[in-house]
Amino acid sequence: MDFDSGLVLSIPIAIFTLRWFRRFMSTETRLPQWDNLLKRGWLLFIVFFVIGKLFSVKEGVIEDWYLFFVFGGIVAALVQMRDYRPARTLLLAVVPVMLCFLLSLLIESIAPSLMERFEDLVGSSWVFTIIWLGTFTIYARNQQKSIETERLKREAELAKTQLIVGHNAELERLVEARTAELNGQKEELEQALTNLQAAQNRLIQSEKMASLGELTAGIAHEIQNPLNFVNNFAEVSVELVDELKEELERPELDTDYIKELADNLIQSQQKIHHHGRRADAIVKAMLQHSRSSTDERHSIDVNALCDEYLRLSYHGLRAKDKEFNAELLTQFDPTVGRITAAGQEIGRVMLNLFNNAFYSVSEKKKQQPATGTYMPLVQVFTKRLDGQVEIRVRDNGLGIPQAVIDKIYQPFFTTKPTGEGTGLGLSLSYDIITQGHGGTLAVNTVEQEFAEFIITLPASDRISVS
């Protein structure tokens, strides 16, 4: 019996089918142990070839059983991959083919005549199974494409998620680094602020000490005047007593002259008493100021306060510069009366404005030629307005440049040379007037002509007209 033609035809069909199945189901990765067996499917051909030669099997039966076992191996592999949806669909496609194979082989082996009788039915069954196989194979292929699409989508989403996670991790790292940098900058700024506040406190203290020094110099000069009178009249009193003694020792007394000496002595003692009381009043006034709290409000006489600090400032500058002279002009409105305010704070403001005014006219005088006709002038005006008290301090000095007019109330800003001003006087004065007393502090100036500072303080029902 010749088996060559049938087996030779069966071998390519089997090898093609196995190769297609292995690639379709990716058995190399999904089922590697079965993949090795399917790759060696050609060995089964040798077995059947030998069996056919030894037992002289009828032609056509060997190739049918060979293909049956090939499809059986495919079914076995599909059973192993039943968790995979396309494998289950392909298994459903192959089972009818296997049943048709098995039924045909059994009928042909047991009752060949019956096979010839129902040849058309068997042929139709084969056509149906082939169509079934093709349909479900296509369906399995579509399932496989859908699963592959889903897999690629999941991989893309996973890659995107990983990218986002990586990006978030990088952002978190950058945020942590930036946070650490900002914390470092914050600590540096806090330290710088602490140092700045300490420096500011030192400058404020220096400004207060400078103001205290100027105030002390003015007070000393004020006290010096009555003390000079006391000393002078005391010397005159001693001379009058000596003359009186000499006259009393003469044999003939001139009673008229003695009375004249006595009258002069009385006048001298009265002068000593008057100027002594004046010095005592100055000391008591300063003691009263020293007992006043900077935040304590009390009734103050605006005109008297302005006049007092004007003289203190002027004499303080005179104590430092004996050659300095200035004309002082005051116009006090008697209806201004008294207001409730922190007298020591308002006095500090007035002293600062007067000091600036005298400094400005002094510097302008120094710039004038020796033969110049310039005469320093500082003016103070008070006026009662509707619900307010106005104080104007005007000088005919250097004025303020327009370029810096907006900076004069800034802390530490000064137009004076280094060492002659801290730049806190006007800043503190502005705070005292505006924040401490609810008033205003404005300036009107023309460079090289004049500067005028205008203070307004609330009066309303707190004024008591004297």
Side-chain angles (χ1 to χ4, degrees), residues 80-368:
Q80 295 296 320
M81 294 187 294
R82 58 185 175 273
D83 293 335
Y84 183 47
R85 279 190 303 163
R88 292 197 301 270
T89 303
L90 196 59
L91 179 62
L92 185 63
V94 174
V95 166
V97 176
M98 288 293 298
L99 292 175
C100 192
F101 250 120
L102 181 60
L103 183 61
S104 298
L105 289 173
L106 290 176
I107 293 175
E108 189 173 357
S109 300
I110 298 172
S113 59
L114 189 62
M115 175 63 75
E116 293 177 359
R117 183 178 177 182
F118 295 101
E119 184 176 359
D120 293 338
L121 181 61
V122 172
S124 300
S125 300
W126 272 108
V127 172
F128 174 77
T129 55
I130 294 301
I131 295 174
W132 179 276
L133 177 63
T135 302
F136 277 86
T137 300
I138 294 172
Y139 183 64
R141 181 62 179 171
N142 291 336
Q143 283 184 325
Q144 191 181 52
K145 288 182 178 179
S146 177
I147 291 174
E148 182 66 15
T149 302
E150 292 178 0
R151 183 186 66 81
L152 293 176
K153 185 177 179 181
R154 286 195 302 269
E155 289 180 355
E157 290 178 353
L158 180 61
K160 184 177 180 181
T161 301
Q162 291 176 345
L163 181 63
I164 292 174
V165 170
H167 188 60
N168 289 340
E170 179 66 16
L171 287 177
E172 289 178 0
R173 186 187 66 78
L174 292 175
V175 168
E176 290 177 357
R178 184 57 177 166
T179 301
E181 181 182 353
L182 290 176
N183 287 335
Q185 292 178 354
K186 177 186 175 184
E187 293 176 358
E188 292 177 0
L189 289 175
E190 288 177 348
Q191 183 62 39
L193 178 60
T194 301
N195 295 338
L196 181 61
Q197 289 174 340
Q200 183 180 11
N201 291 334
R202 289 195 296 270
L203 287 173
I204 290 174
Q205 188 63 28
S206 299
E207 181 71 19
K208 289 181 178 179
M209 294 304 295
S211 298
L212 179 61
E214 293 172 351
L215 181 61
T216 303
I219 294 171
H221 194 277
E222 279 291 296
I223 296 177
Q224 187 64 43
N225 285 334
L227 288 179
N228 287 337
F229 281 110
V230 169
N231 292 332
N232 291 335
F233 283 111
E235 291 177 0
V236 171
S237 297
V238 171
E239 292 176 358
L240 289 173
V241 170
D242 290 339
E243 290 183 12
L244 183 58
K245 286 181 178 180
E246 291 177 359
E247 187 63 30
L248 290 175
E249 290 176 355
R250 291 181 180 179
E252 295 181 2
L253 297 178
D254 185 349
T255 56
D256 292 335
Y257 182 60
I258 292 174
K259 288 180 180 181
E260 182 182 351
L261 290 176
D263 290 338
N264 291 337
L265 183 59
I266 291 172
Q267 291 177 1
S268 179
Q269 295 300 314
Q270 288 175 342
K271 292 290 186 181
I272 291 174
H273 181 263
H274 169 73
H275 290 290
R277 287 179 62 86
R278 181 182 169 194
D280 181 65
I282 294 173
V283 172
K284 286 181 179 179
M286 293 304 103
L287 289 176
Q288 182 65 31
H289 274 294
S290 67
R291 287 194 294 267
S292 299
S293 169
T294 56
D295 293 329
E296 183 181 349
R297 299 293 196 269
H298 58 275
S299 178
I300 61 172
D301 186 326
V302 177
N303 291 338
L305 186 75
C306 292
D307 184 63
E308 175 185 359
Y309 280 94
L310 175 65
R311 289 185 289 105
L312 289 177
S313 177
Y314 178 67
H315 291 310
L317 185 58
R318 288 269 298 164
K320 292 188 293 185
D321 185 1
K322 299 296 184 182
E323 297 182 357
F324 174 74
N325 274 307
E327 182 181 354
L328 307 181
L329 177 61
T330 60
Q331 293 182 10
F332 294 145
D333 183 355
T335 65
V336 166
R338 308 178 70 87
I339 64 172
T340 300
Q344 190 173 354
E345 296 292 334
I346 299 298
R348 180 181 298 175
V349 173
M350 301 311 302
L351 186 63
N352 177 260
L353 296 181
F354 294 144
N355 288 343
N356 288 343
F358 286 125
Y359 176 85
S360 179
V361 297
S362 175
E363 291 298 309
K364 187 173 181 179
K365 180 65 175 178
K366 293 176 182 178
Q367 296 175 7
Q368 301 294 321

